[in-house]
Structures are given as C-alpha cells and as structure tokens.
Amino acid sequence: KRKGTSEKIDNSQSRIKAYKKLLFFSFLIVFSFSSIAQQKGLFWKKSDSLNTKRRNAVYSTEASLSALTLIGMHQLWYANYDSSSFHTINDSNDWLQMDKAGHAMGAYYVGKTGMDVLDWAGESKKNQLIYGATLGFGFLSVVEIFDGFSKEWGFSPSDIAANAAGAGLLIGQELL
C-alpha cells in the first residue's frame, strides 16, 4: 500500500512540475509578446485600419493558445485528482480572498492582452472590448468549470463573480 501511495505522490509531483513549466513558458510567451509589441519595429507597428490578415491571425492564435493551455492544464493538474459529478462550493471566505483577487486580475490581464493584440490588428475599439474582455472572462471561467468536476474542489460562483469583476474593470477603464 505504501509503495502505491509513494508512486502516486511521485507522479503528482512530476505532473505539478510539468504544469509549472507550462505556466512559466506560457507567461514567458505572453510577456515577450507584450514587451516586443512596445517596440516600434515595422512588424509590430499598429495598423491604422483593419488588417484582416492580422485580425484573423490574432483570433486563430488566441483560440489555439487558449485551447492548448486549458488542455495542458487539465492533463497536468486535474488528471491527478479524482473526478466527480459537477458540484458547487462556497469558498468566498477561504484563502483571505487571494483566490478572488487572482481571478479578477487574471481576467483583467488576459483580456487586456487580447485587446492589445486586436488593437495591433486595427480592430475597432468596440470589438477590442467585446472580444478582449470575453477572452479573459471565458478562459478563467473554463478553469472554474474544471473545478466543478473535481472531487477536491468545486465550481465557485464567487470565482465567476471575480472573473466578471476583472473583465468589467477592464471594460470600465477603457470606456472612461
């Protein structure tokens, strides 16, 4: 029995290490793109009008990266824990609200990055707001759905509210 438990712990630890590497490289790619986008090179110069090739590339890249990240997260994190039927929990008083802050900030910054690359493609401000904020809210909401099917955790309505608050803050700031 101990040997099986030890193997399970070793497997969990190796998956967590792999997940951390995936997160590190994902953040590295996003922050590299953000810093490169600040430079005034020809390629990264903002389009004055809608550049459909850029826009299509942005939408395809966002969808692909989001899907790959979520699949990777599911395989590297959630696969280590028992599944259950979908259920909710009330974790609004747990972790000193840091989980909620993380959800709000995550939705805000994923959405802001989505807006910035759409701006580079010359997309209208309205579409930047709609698709950028939706990207941030949607990505983190899928993570919450994963939680809902995990026996260890559960779907948290307060986390969804935090996702909405982060996306709403982004929209509010941009409109002001």
Side-chain angles (χ1 to χ4, degrees):
K1 191 173 184 179
R2 283 187 173 196
K3 185 177 181 182
T5 302
S6 176
E7 289 173 2
K8 188 174 182 180
I9 290 171
D10 290 342
N11 187 24
S12 279
Q13 289 174 344
S14 66
R15 285 181 181 250
I16 289 171
K17 285 180 184 177
Y19 176 68
K20 286 180 180 179
K21 286 180 185 177
L22 175 69
L23 279 178
F24 172 75
F25 287 115
S26 296
F27 284 121
L28 185 65
I29 289 168
V30 169
F31 289 120
S32 295
F33 182 80
S34 296
S35 65
I36 291 169
Q38 299 301 318
Q39 297 175 5
K40 299 292 182 189
L42 180 62
F43 180 77
W44 296 111
K45 185 177 179 187
K46 180 184 173 223
S47 181
D48 293 337
S49 60
L50 179 61
N51 183 322
T52 55
K53 286 183 182 181
R54 283 186 185 181
R55 182 200 58 201
N56 294 342
V58 166
Y59 287 137
S60 297
T61 303
E62 285 178 348
S64 299
L65 284 176
S66 296
L68 287 172
T69 302
L70 290 167
I71 289 168
M73 180 187 301
H74 189 273
Q75 293 302 311
L76 295 171
W77 180 261
Y78 292 94
N80 290 328
Y81 297 96
D82 293 332
S83 296
S84 70
S85 60
F86 187 81
H87 64 283
T88 62
I89 61 167
N90 180 3
D91 67 349
S92 57
N93 292 320
D94 296 340
W95 304 293
L96 301 174
Q97 301 299 315
M98 293 312 300
D99 181 44
K100 307 309 168 242
H103 275 270
M105 287 179 57
Y108 179 93
Y109 284 110
V110 169
K112 180 65 174 150
T113 301
M115 285 185 63
D116 289 346
V117 293
L118 287 171
D119 187 40
W120 167 76
E123 187 66 89
S124 70
K125 192 66 165 179
K126 176 184 171 188
N127 285 345
Q128 289 176 39
L129 285 171
I130 291 170
Y131 295 113
T134 300
L135 178 67
F137 177 80
F139 182 84
L140 285 152
S141 296
V142 171
V143 173
E144 199 55 39
I145 291 169
F146 288 166
D147 281 353
F149 286 103
S150 176
K151 190 174 187 179
E152 188 82 14
W153 299 284
F155 180 87
S156 170
S158 58
D159 284 354
I160 294 294
N163 295 346
L169 178 63
L170 174 63
I171 293 169
Q173 283 184 324
E174 293 296 323
L175 289 176
L176 287 175

